[in-house]
Amino acid sequence: MNFVFISPNFPETYRWFCIRLRENGVNVLGVGDAPYDALHPDLRRALTEYYRVDSLADYDQMVRALGHFTGRYGKLDWVESNNEYWLELDAALRTDFNINTGLKSDQIAKYKSKRRMKDYYRQAGVPCARYAMATTLEAALAFTREVGYPVVVKPDRGVGAAATYKLRCEEDAAEFFAHKPEEPYLMEEFVPGVVTTYDGVCNSRGEVLFAASHIAPNSIMDMVNEGVPCFYYVDKEVPPDVEAAGKAVLRAFGARRRFFHLEFFRLTEDKEGLGRRGDIVALEVNMRPAGGYTPDMLNFSQSVDVYQIWADMVAFDQRRHPYQGEHRYCIYAGRRDGVDYAMDMDELHARCGEHARLFTRMPDALAGAMGNQVAIACFDTKEEMERFVHDAFALRI
């Protein structure tokens, strides 16, 4: 099997996808814009060949790279980046090289357009926020008269909460439209809720081989735009209503052979037209792993190796490695440079003791949303997690 991994060096932990593929007997071919010598030694060992391009955004160079691999190794079986930023590139390459193990260009829009996602949520029977295309201020004001303030504006094809804003009044709306980017934007009614996810891997029949759920008590939009403390945790188990909604959404989208990251709101208050407090409401679908070090957090929390599970799906279309231990809460704290915290990272690590799992830096490209300093720990109780969050974000007096 010839597998082309796009940008295998970023984020750096993605090298484990390539390592596990190689251990499964897959011929792993990398394409990236980093110099070969800059690749992690373990990644270099996992790759049969690495083709460097000046830019992954230069499609002609990408076609030449895959043409080179085809000429040297024969028919290509997979192309994948597992990276939101390159999903459309992946699909275009599959289309042009007739690779049938993933989404092609005519299928990718439903996973990139937040507007089109809503049609599939309805098919799945999962409620979602009302919306209107943010075309003009007049149209926006008509929508706010229907749903009230606040409202949320977001790019139709944006990544995560980037360039997403909450508008609290007519003046905010006027300010937004005075500087609105050219790209299409949605305006949605505000949903009072806590982001709760359904993450995992499904096979060629859409069967879920592994699933977990993480929860972000603070608004992701506020983490990005206002710098509020960034923390979230992987739950010990997937709540039954999240699993039911997640599987229904996967069926509606026809998800196959993918790592998936589905986002929902759990309502924190009753919301007319959406449900009662505690109900699940659809937010967004992502056909790739959750960002940052979340795959590693899934491993720490669930006593698994999600890189291996995904590689087994690719090579064998099944899961070959069982759970290996207990489930624990795994929590992430993303601290920001320039803030005078009461504890430095060494002190926080010492305070965590045996609960500490990963203390490191977040790549600059992801730090705006997730913080610069990464502290990840595992605990048996929510009370222990709450103490960790307090210690991680307490300021020096």
Side-chain angles (χ1 to χ4, degrees):
M1 177 186 292
N2 293 319
F3 191 108
V4 179
F5 205 107
I6 307 297
S7 189
N9 59 298
F10 185 86
E12 187 176 295
T13 55
Y14 274 24
R15 71 184 185 276
W16 288 106
F17 286 122
C18 298
I19 292 168
R20 297 299 184 237
L21 285 173
R22 185 60 177 263
E23 291 172 348
N24 278 353
V26 175
N27 190 40
V28 187
L29 308 167
V31 183
D33 55 8
Y36 179 75
D37 290 343
L39 304 183
H40 192 286
D42 290 344
L43 175 58
R44 293 202 299 264
R45 285 190 287 269
L47 297 175
T48 300
E49 186 175 351
Y50 178 72
Y51 190 109
R52 184 178 182 274
V53 295
D54 296 325
S55 171
L56 293 167
D58 186 329
Y59 193 69
D60 287 342
Q61 289 191 52
M62 298 301 296
V63 169
R64 286 196 292 272
L66 267 65
H68 166 79
F69 287 149
T70 300
R72 189 161 187 183
Y73 302 101
K75 179 74 169 64
L76 304 178
D77 301 292
W78 283 76
V79 170
E80 187 61 76
S81 67
N82 277 334
N83 190 317
E84 181 75 26
Y85 196 81
W86 302 118
L87 290 186
E88 289 175 290
L89 169 65
D90 298 345
L93 291 170
R94 291 189 200 105
T95 301
D96 286 344
F97 285 84
N98 193 30
I99 298 169
N100 298 315
T101 49
L103 299 165
K104 293 189 176 181
S105 293
D106 61 347
Q107 303 167 310
I108 197 66
K110 65 184 178 183
Y111 294 111
K112 294 294 292 183
S113 168
K114 294 178 174 63
R115 174 179 55 86
R116 291 192 61 181
M117 288 177 189
K118 293 178 182 293
D119 295 333
Y120 294 92
Y121 294 147
R122 295 186 186 99
Q123 291 179 31
V126 182
C128 57
R130 290 173 290 177
Y131 79 99
M133 295 307 296
T135 52
T136 65
L137 176 59
E138 291 72 22
L141 294 180
F143 180 69
T144 60
R145 285 193 292 271
E146 177 186 352
V147 303
Y149 287 102
V151 293
V152 174
V153 288
K154 59 177 70 172
D156 183 36
R157 299 170 78 89
V159 178
T164 298
Y165 309 102
K166 184 191 294 184
L167 308 183
R168 296 175 172 83
C169 59
E170 187 171 326
E171 289 75 16
D172 286 352
E175 177 68 16
F176 169 75
F177 277 95
H179 303 93
K180 179 186 173 297
E182 291 297 321
E183 63 188 294
Y185 260 72
L186 271 70
M187 178 173 283
E188 291 184 340
E189 65 179 318
F190 178 75
V191 179
V194 172
V195 172
T196 303
T197 75
Y198 187 61
D199 296 84
V201 178
C202 61
N203 66 11
S204 66
R205 297 176 295 282
E207 299 165 344
V208 175
L209 302 181
F210 165 80
S213 176
H214 71 258
I215 298 168
N218 281 349
S219 162
I220 297 175
M221 180 170 53
D222 292 342
M223 293 179 194
V224 174
N225 294 330
E226 301 180 19
V228 303
C230 175
F231 65 93
Y232 62 97
Y233 66 91
V234 180
D235 210 342
K236 284 185 176 181
E237 307 292 342
V238 179
D241 56 352
V242 173
E243 180 179 33
K247 287 185 174 180
V249 169
L250 290 173
R251 286 194 297 271
F253 276 86
R256 301 285 187 273
R257 297 186 174 110
R258 302 297 306 172
F259 216 119
F260 57 82
H261 168 55
L262 313 183
E263 297 178 352
F264 302 93
F265 286 116
R266 186 177 294 281
L267 293 178
T268 52
E269 59 186 69
D270 295 353
K271 179 70 174 180
E272 184 178 356
L274 291 180
R276 301 185 64 82
R277 179 179 179 180
D279 288 348
I280 292 296
V281 174
L283 172 56
E284 188 171 315
V285 166
N286 301 280
M287 286 294 111
R288 43 81 177 171
Y293 292 98
T294 307
D296 303 276
M297 292 174 62
L298 300 179
N299 290 344
F300 299 146
S301 171
Q302 309 294 300
S303 300
V304 295
D305 183 337
V306 296
Y307 304 105
Q308 184 70 65
I309 293 170
W310 176 85
D312 286 352
M313 178 274 294
V314 170
F316 311 116
D317 202 27
Q318 61 180 292
R319 180 171 172 166
R320 291 197 168 187
H321 292 75
Y323 288 95
Q324 299 172 347
E326 296 181 357
H327 292 193
R328 307 181 77 186
Y329 297 110
C330 184
I331 186 160
Y332 172 99
R335 309 203 317 175
R336 301 189 183 278
D337 291 347
V339 178
D340 192 15
Y341 297 108
M343 293 186 190
D344 63 26
M345 288 291 279
D346 289 339
E347 292 171 319
L348 182 61
H349 189 280
R351 175 68 65 90
C352 285
E354 64 179 9
H355 299 285
R357 291 296 181 271
L358 180 63
F359 278 58
T360 187
R361 298 278 300 178
M362 182 63 69
D364 290 343
L366 305 176
M370 305 191 72
N372 310 96
Q373 307 164 22
V374 174
I376 298 175
C378 282
F379 300 98
D380 291 319
T381 68
K382 290 186 176 180
E383 290 74 19
E384 291 174 302
M385 282 201 301
E386 290 169 359
R387 287 196 294 271
F388 169 77
V389 170
H390 175 271
D391 291 343
F393 295 106
L395 302 179
R396 194 177 305 279
I397 299 175

